Structures are given as structure tokens and as C-alpha cells.
Amino acid sequence: MSGYSFLLEPIENFKNVNNGTMTDDELGVSAIGESTLIIRLSKPSAHFLSVLSMPIAFPLHGNGTNRAQFHDPASFVGNGAYILARHELGGPILVR
């Protein structure tokens, strides 16, 4: 569990899913397409959009968190304005 997980508490059922009393399927987050994510909040949260710009909310590849995948453009998942074209470990990073 991340020390910053409390920042995600505005998400519907987050506390219960995080402490294991509810399943992941009951979390207020769902994908309704390849590029659309719905996040339901338990109550209004003025700061929540700012939380989504923090590393705790960055996407991870759905096939796991294998660190070896992060440098491979074919399996890299990101949320920025650029697409990873090439990444040489310890070397240059090319984005487009």
C-alpha cells in the first residue's frame, strides 16, 4: 500500500477496497472504452483533479508492473502528450 493512497480516498468505495473489505470490482472506477475512464467520487472533491496529475495516479500496464516493460515502446503506458518511440536504458529517450 502506498503511503500516499489516502489521496485517492474521494473515489467511491476506495477505503473499503484498499483495506480489503470490498473487491476491486466495487471500486468507483471503470473503463467504458479504450480511451475513456470514469471515476465516481463519494462526494465532491475540489482537489481531486490535481491528485490525478500526481505519480500515484499514473497508469500502469494492465499486464503487471514488470519494470523491464517500461522501456519498451510496444508495452509502455503513459498519460502525457507524447508517445514513447525509443528508450535505451541508460541512454536517450525519443518521443513523438
Side-chain angles (χ1 to χ4, degrees):
M1 177 179 359
S2 168
Y4 293 101
S5 63
F6 71 92
L7 294 170
L8 300 174
E9 288 180 2
I11 298 174
E12 182 179 87
N13 298 328
F14 178 82
K15 284 184 182 180
N16 292 327
V17 172
N18 199 35
N19 69 24
T21 59
M22 290 180 123
T23 66
D24 294 348
D25 293 339
E26 297 173 276
L27 184 64
V29 177
S30 57
I32 60 166
E34 289 191 23
S35 61
T36 304
L37 181 71
I38 294 179
I39 301 174
R40 290 181 309 280
L41 303 181
S42 56
K43 60 183 177 183
S45 174
H47 72 281
F48 192 71
L49 288 177
S50 296
V51 170
L52 294 180
S53 69
M54 300 174 75
I56 189 172
F58 289 2
L60 292 176
H61 194 278
N63 292 330
T65 57
N66 181 353
R67 292 180 65 87
Q69 293 176 331
F70 292 149
H71 73 279
D72 179 6
S75 61
F76 179 79
V77 176
N79 64 345
Y82 303 100
I83 297 172
L84 181 66
R86 187 177 75 222
H87 179 194
E88 297 174 25
L89 293 177
I93 298 172
L94 177 65
V95 295
R96 52 184 158 99

